[in-house]
Amino acid sequence: MKKIHKFNLVCMAVVIMCGGSLRVSAQQLKAENIDEVVKAMTLEEKCHMVLGRGMHYNDDDKFPGTAGSTFFVDRLGIPETYCADSQQGLRMNAKRAWDHRDYYPTDFVASMTLASTWDREAAFKVGQGIGNEVREFGLDWILSPAMNLIRNPLCGRNHEYYSEDPYLSGTIGAGYVKGVQSEGTAACPKHFVANNQETNRNNNISQVSQRALREIYLKAFEIMVKESDPWTIMTSYNKLNGPYAVQNYELLTTIVRDEWGWKGMYVSDWNAGDDAVAAMLAGNDMLQPGQDKQYQAILEAAKSGKLPMEVLDANVKRILEYVVKTNNFKKAGHSCGKPCCVPMCSAENLKAHAQVVREVGADGIVLLKNSGILPLGSEKIKVKGEKFKVALFGCTSYDWISGGSGFGGTSVGHYTVSLIEGLRAAGYEVYKPLIATYTQHLAAEEKRLFPNGRPPFSLMPPARADEKQFTADELNAAIEGSDVAIISLGRKSGEAADRSENDFYLKEGEAQLIKAVSEAYHAKGKQVIVLLDICSPIDVASWQDQIDALVCTWQGGQESGVSVADVLSGKVNPSGKLPMTFQIKYGDAYADKNFPANVDDKTLGAMFMWGYDKDKAPKERQPQKDIDFTNYEEDIYVGYRYFDSFGKPVAYPFGFGLSYTTFAYDNLTCSVDGDIITVTVDVKNTGKRAGRNVVELFVAAPNSKKLNKPEKELRNYAKTRLLQPGEEETVTMKVSTEDLASFNEKASAWKTDAGTYTFMICSSANDVETKTTAKVKAWSKKVNNVMKPNVKLNLLKR
Ligand code: BGC
């Protein structure tokens, strides 16, 4: 577990020693005088500046329940600045001791929901809403977006991440960062990088080829950095090709600062790494939440010259460059602008943000299968003016999951609109006897699972109730009392633990429930819909033939119930597309060969300790595959790049998602002007309902098989406006020659081969709608030959 450091006391002492009364200085921090302020700082102040001030989990902290803050030096006008998690909203206690007010932030949508919108504007709006609340509540810095690649469906933090594709991840991440920073709040994309599993997250070494690192894992961050210029980046817990990411000069300085030109401030993940001086030397400017031993180590190294003063000064300078942009430095504060009043987000803004959650939550829902039953009952309700009755099965229908667990979830007491509430508000009648049955069932399960009550906060997702099974009589009564059955399935995960292979499949009780309800409803000529309230893909292939419609709702934050009802009712025409592949079985993806899918609880528990307290690990322990090191043998063939290039069937491909209308594509053009390729296509709504459509542009390189390149790769995408039936929009997308490059390890260069490339407009990685070709010029760019894996990897090739 995280330690809450007593570090604050030390900081206070230094402030008293060096501050106000003893060393009054005329020098006050301004954006223009950072170099002079660095010069005016004492060595001790510098050593404190590069460390956080502990976590703020006590009742009497200024912002209880938040991740931390930065060091302040009153005499130089350097204020304390405050940070908090997460990508789904401001994680902070809503109640404070001796304060009658509530501080409820908005529970926005999970990242996976956001990515499923394939809408950069939606990402901006969510980022802006969160950035606004951080500022209005008096803080400066949000520790998000989390944007590691979805390499495996079992990673415990997938719901915090965007996609298996670096372009989609990078562009959605960029939209979010721009939104956050448009409010004067610092964003902090994380966890940099190749932090794709939670098992032994503090010590595992990701062993990745230079090519996969450049083309896949770094690429997502590179796109985001270049498009949105985040003020800060969080380095990850894991080691990468040897050293800890947080202590890796080649990664942090050579690639990101020297090659990409990024000038912001790095902060470590909380207690990451094991050598504070190495982190400073690597260019990692700030270590959070800060430890006494780190302070001593940095101070001694600075005194002995092991840590050159110019390096420490550069770290401090980058921190001050962040500080001068913050709300607390600018005293920007909340919108009322009165310095004396308590920072609080206005009711008006919270209301506007709730609307964003509702809309983005609905736009991120992915319709996977539809017999025609959806939209639900609109004819009965609207045409005949009758009630449409739904029977809700599955514990999740009554215990909706709005987001993940751990520090990546908000879940700090804010409401979640339930499915029942959402459906009722949309005009549906919810079959009552099941509400009573499930209320009792859930209460009994709660007692069974938590005989001593639930723990107040745990990193691990709490155990969920087993499914209730029904007698034939109970089912017949439900069929009598409803027009349709809706079964909800839920999965919740969070940081510090991955899901197990079992969790990918239905539990016995879930499978029995689906079978029994489907058989009974079908026997009476009625249909069954399944909602997937999940944190990451699960098996659907083995059971979806039994049901009539399948809707992946993901986890949509506080307005979930209304967002789901908006889509089921047809108020919103679904336009979400999968940001990752739904594989048929666990093990189908090549990356599954190297992932800790079946680690027993005892080992997991022990690793938790090794992570934070390595000295207590048994000495005789040998490094174990997928726990101590993970070989990324699939190389660049992550997600659809594998299934598509090797002709493997999937349950649902990357980019898939149905609509209540249909779209046709026409007049595809592709023109090359120097290094820029412009693609245009007409998209027409050919169905009967208004809807938005995602236009996916994949590109195939010539001789891809011979050159060991993926069959095709996502190079751009666009989302149309709401098109009325018959209405058309011309969509324009640009790709540069550089965007088509692969990384050539031998030459240590990005290279685009000259030749005829195929530009495809797709409705998923498996569905090419129309295509054309264009001749592309050769392009190349040499980069540093760094980040070599220090083991020989047995890499997959086409
Ligand atoms: C998580 C980060 C988070 C940090 C601060 C760590 O355990 O990995 O994502 O920002 O804690 O709470």
Side-chain angles (χ1 to χ4, degrees):
M1 288 293 297
K2 294 181 192 208
K3 285 182 197 153
I4 298 170
H5 293 279
K6 298 255 160 34
F7 200 61
N8 294 11
L9 294 175
V10 184
C11 300
M12 306 287 269
V14 173
V15 173
I16 293 163
M17 270 162 34
C18 311
S21 57
L22 289 183
R23 301 186 36 166
V24 181
S25 158
Q27 200 69 265
Q28 292 290 296
L29 180 67
K30 292 193 209 86
E32 306 76 44
N33 71 352
I34 294 178
D35 285 327
E36 286 107 88
V37 170
V38 175
K39 269 194 212 123
M41 288 173 83
T42 65
L43 175 61
E44 287 74 12
E45 284 168 341
K46 290 178 190 172
C47 295
H48 279 296
M49 199 74 225
V50 294
L51 298 173
R53 302 199 58 235
M55 295 187 70
H56 299 192
Y57 270 69
N58 296 328
D59 263 2
D60 55 357
D61 283 326
K62 184 166 179 189
F63 300 111
T66 55
S69 63
T70 59
F71 188 69
F72 58 93
V73 186
D74 282 346
R75 71 183 184 91
L76 295 172
I78 304 175
E80 185 167 13
T81 71
Y82 298 87
C83 62
D85 290 307
S86 74
Q87 67 293 328
Q88 201 170 334
L90 172 54
R91 188 182 171 81
M92 172 176 76
N93 294 355
K95 303 271 184 196
R96 296 178 188 171
W98 311 110
D99 189 339
H100 71 283
R101 283 164 289 239
D102 292 335
Y103 295 83
Y104 283 116
T106 301
D107 184 8
F108 284 83
V109 301
S111 301
M112 211 171 249
T113 310
L114 185 56
S116 296
T117 64
W118 291 57
D119 185 352
R120 296 166 175 92
E121 273 173 42
F124 183 91
K125 277 191 208 158
V126 168
Q128 187 180 34
I130 294 174
N132 176 264
E133 290 189 17
V134 169
R135 175 165 65 77
E136 297 259 312
F137 279 116
L139 294 89
D140 302 278
W141 183 18
I142 187 81
L143 304 174
S144 68
M147 46 180 299
N148 292 97
L149 254 275
I150 298 182
R151 172 178 175 256
N152 184 288
L154 302 182
C155 173
R157 295 187 90 164
N158 277 348
H159 60 282
E160 295 186 46
Y161 303 152
Y162 294 130
S163 171
E164 67 187 23
D165 180 83
Y167 184 76
L168 184 57
S169 300
T171 47
I172 294 291
Y176 182 105
V177 169
K178 285 190 225 166
V180 168
Q181 296 187 169
S182 72
E183 285 289 323
T185 292
C188 186
K190 64 187 186 184
H191 311 85
F192 191 68
V193 63
N195 181 189
N196 305 100
Q197 69 180 58
E198 288 303 291
T199 306
N200 199 22
R201 64 176 180 167
N202 301 76
N203 276 315
N204 174 271
I205 311 180
S206 305
Q207 322 249 41
V208 194
S209 77
Q210 286 170 301
R211 179 178 178 195
L213 200 54
R214 294 270 189 176
E215 280 184 34
I216 306 289
Y217 300 98
L218 286 173
K219 198 66 183 177
F221 282 90
E222 184 181 356
I223 292 169
M224 174 278 303
V225 162
K226 290 182 177 168
E227 273 191 27
S228 63
D229 193 14
W231 299 353
T232 76
I233 290 179
M234 186 190 293
T235 49
S236 54
Y237 282 132
N238 56 293
K239 296 172 182 168
L240 175 56
N241 290 348
Y244 281 103
V246 55
Q247 291 159 202
N248 195 323
Y249 183 89
E250 291 185 348
L251 177 69
L252 307 189
T253 299
T254 311
I255 295 186
V256 182
R257 292 199 200 285
D258 299 348
E259 291 181 13
W260 300 353
W262 181 67
K263 297 199 165 32
M265 168 188 109
Y266 282 113
V267 61
S268 72
D269 200 344
W270 267 227
N271 293 315
D274 63 354
D275 183 339
V277 177
M280 295 296 121
L281 289 168
N284 191 102
D285 309 304
M286 183 184 287
L287 292 165
Q288 280 280 4
Q291 301 169 6
D292 303 347
K293 68 175 187 204
Q294 291 173 330
Y295 174 78
Q296 292 306 334
I298 294 170
L299 185 65
E300 274 160 36
K303 282 183 178 161
S304 72
K306 195 178 148 205
L307 175 61
M309 196 51 71
E310 57 273 21
V311 174
L312 185 59
D313 282 353
N315 297 131
V316 172
K317 182 176 176 186
R318 284 189 291 257
I319 293 171
L320 296 184
E321 282 167 352
Y322 144 81
V323 170
V324 296
K325 291 188 220 155
T326 60
N327 300 318
N328 272 302
F329 177 79
K330 292 185 169 164
K331 302 199 172 47
H334 57 306
S335 41
C336 92
K338 289 182 201 140
C340 60
C341 94
V342 182
M344 173 77 82
C345 189
S346 70
E348 200 188 352
N349 286 10
L350 289 170
K351 200 170 154 210
H353 299 160
Q355 185 60 23
V356 170
V357 178
R358 177 178 183 162
E359 286 169 13
V360 176
D363 282 350
I365 289 175
V366 187
L367 177 62
L368 294 176
K369 173 177 175 169
N370 189 9
S371 63
I373 175 94
L374 294 171
L376 203 54
S378 49
E379 199 191 307
K380 208 171 171 193
I381 302 173
K382 287 195 193 125
V383 183
K384 300 189 187 154
E386 293 170 12
K387 280 272 180 201
F388 190 90
K389 291 176 262 170
V390 298
L392 301 181
F393 291 89
C395 297
T396 304
S397 290
Y398 302 87
D399 182 17
W400 196 258
I401 306 166
S402 69
S405 60
F407 294 96
T410 43
S411 326
V412 281
H414 212 288
Y415 67 85
T416 301
V417 175
S418 73
L419 184 60
I420 299 182
E421 216 177 330
L423 288 169
R424 282 182 175 159
Y428 296 102
E429 191 172 302
V430 179
Y431 177 66
K432 279 193 190 150
L434 281 184
I435 304 182
T437 307
Y438 273 100
T439 308
Q440 272 176 15
H441 173 72
L442 286 171
E445 283 291 282
E446 185 78 11
K447 274 205 188 120
R448 181 179 71 80
L449 295 167
F450 306 101
N452 305 317
R454 286 190 182 225
F457 174 73
S458 158
L459 272 184
M460 306 293 279
R464 291 187 60 80
D466 281 347
E467 289 301 346
K468 170 165 176 56
Q469 304 302 324
F470 294 88
T471 63
D473 284 349
E474 285 169 326
L475 281 178
N476 283 334
I479 296 168
E480 273 298 298
S482 63
D483 295 297
V484 73
I486 297 180
I487 308 174
S488 303
L489 299 177
R491 289 289 181 280
K492 184 165 177 142
S493 66
E495 73 180 273
D498 292 309
R499 297 162 68 214
S500 67
E501 182 170 350
N502 280 344
D503 203 59
F504 179 79
Y505 294 101
L506 293 196
K507 290 185 200 128
E508 217 182 309
E510 291 172 328
Q512 279 168 7
L513 179 73
I514 291 176
K515 188 166 184 288
V517 172
S518 305
E519 282 176 3
Y521 270 75
H522 290 163
K524 298 275 164 66
K526 291 186 180 176
Q527 300 197 25
V528 179
I529 299 163
V530 172
L531 305 181
L532 301 176
D533 178 11
I534 52 179
C535 53
S536 200
I538 60 166
D539 160 43
V540 292
S542 72
W543 53 269
Q544 63 165 340
D545 285 352
Q546 300 172 50
I547 55 146
D548 307 286
L550 183 60
V551 185
C552 184
T553 65
W554 298 125
Q555 296 173 337
Q558 66 182 41
E559 309 295 321
S560 297
V562 268
S563 301
V564 173
D566 282 347
V567 166
L568 294 183
S569 66
K571 180 167 191 250
V572 171
N573 190 346
S575 61
K577 301 276 185 175
L578 292 179
M580 82 298 282
T581 310
F582 269 48
Q583 56 196 67
I584 296 176
K585 293 195 301 305
Y586 187 76
D588 280 357
Y590 205 82
D592 297 348
K593 290 187 202 311
N594 293 288
F595 190 85
N598 290 301
V599 184
D600 60 88
D601 286 355
K602 201 166 150 235
T603 317
L604 278 176
M607 278 178 318
F608 228 90
M609 285 192 341
W610 296 331
Y612 285 108
D613 201 351
K614 276 178 285 164
D615 299 341
K616 292 201 182 133
K619 297 266 178 305
E620 70 281 5
R621 213 175 141 272
Q622 293 299 313
Q624 275 180 45
K625 175 181 176 307
D626 303 336
I627 289 184
D628 296 279
F629 61 90
T630 302
N631 291 345
Y632 287 35
E633 291 179 332
E634 73 284 0
D635 205 27
I636 54 164
Y637 296 105
V638 181
Y640 73 87
R641 284 174 169 75
Y642 173 68
F643 293 104
D644 192 30
S645 306
F646 291 85
K648 302 273 175 200
V650 297
Y652 287 105
F654 170 79
F656 183 86
L658 300 171
S659 163
Y660 298 150
T661 187
T662 47
F663 295 96
Y665 304 85
D666 205 2
N667 298 326
L668 173 63
T669 68
C670 191
S671 58
V672 184
D673 181 7
D675 277 330
I676 300 295
I677 303 132
T678 305
V679 176
T680 66
V681 67
D682 295 342
V683 185
K684 185 171 183 182
N685 182 346
T686 49
K688 295 199 173 70
R689 283 176 173 267
R692 298 182 73 193
N693 189 31
V694 174
V695 186
E696 303 167 21
L697 175 63
F698 284 81
V699 182
N703 294 322
S704 62
K705 193 158 182 184
K706 206 170 126 227
L707 295 170
N708 189 31
K709 291 189 182 188
E711 182 69 19
K712 59 178 174 298
E713 294 177 89
L714 183 76
R715 296 304 193 193
N716 208 333
Y717 63 89
K719 194 152 186 173
T720 66
R721 62 173 189 273
L722 188 75
L723 295 177
Q724 297 301 323
E727 205 185 344
E728 201 168 274
E729 178 175 333
T730 302
V731 165
T732 304
M733 290 172 286
K734 291 195 190 296
V735 176
S736 72
T737 327
E738 178 175 353
D739 298 338
L740 299 173
S742 300
F743 189 72
N744 183 313
E745 290 186 357
K746 277 200 191 112
S748 195
W750 287 100
K751 284 196 172 182
T752 304
D753 295 310
T756 305
Y757 283 67
T758 310
F759 290 77
M760 289 164 265
I761 300 295
C762 299
S763 51
S764 87
N766 282 6
D767 298 287
V768 180
E769 301 284 344
T770 172
K771 61 183 177 182
T772 185
T773 56
K775 280 210 163 63
V776 171
K777 289 194 308 191
W779 178 90
S780 78
K781 185 172 157 194
K782 202 147 175 57
V783 292
N784 296 292
N785 184 9
V786 290
M787 295 303 299
K788 274 194 193 146
N790 51 9
V791 290
K792 173 125 187 55
L793 294 169
N794 188 12
L795 300 175
L796 176 67
K797 292 197 171 51
R798 280 187 84 183

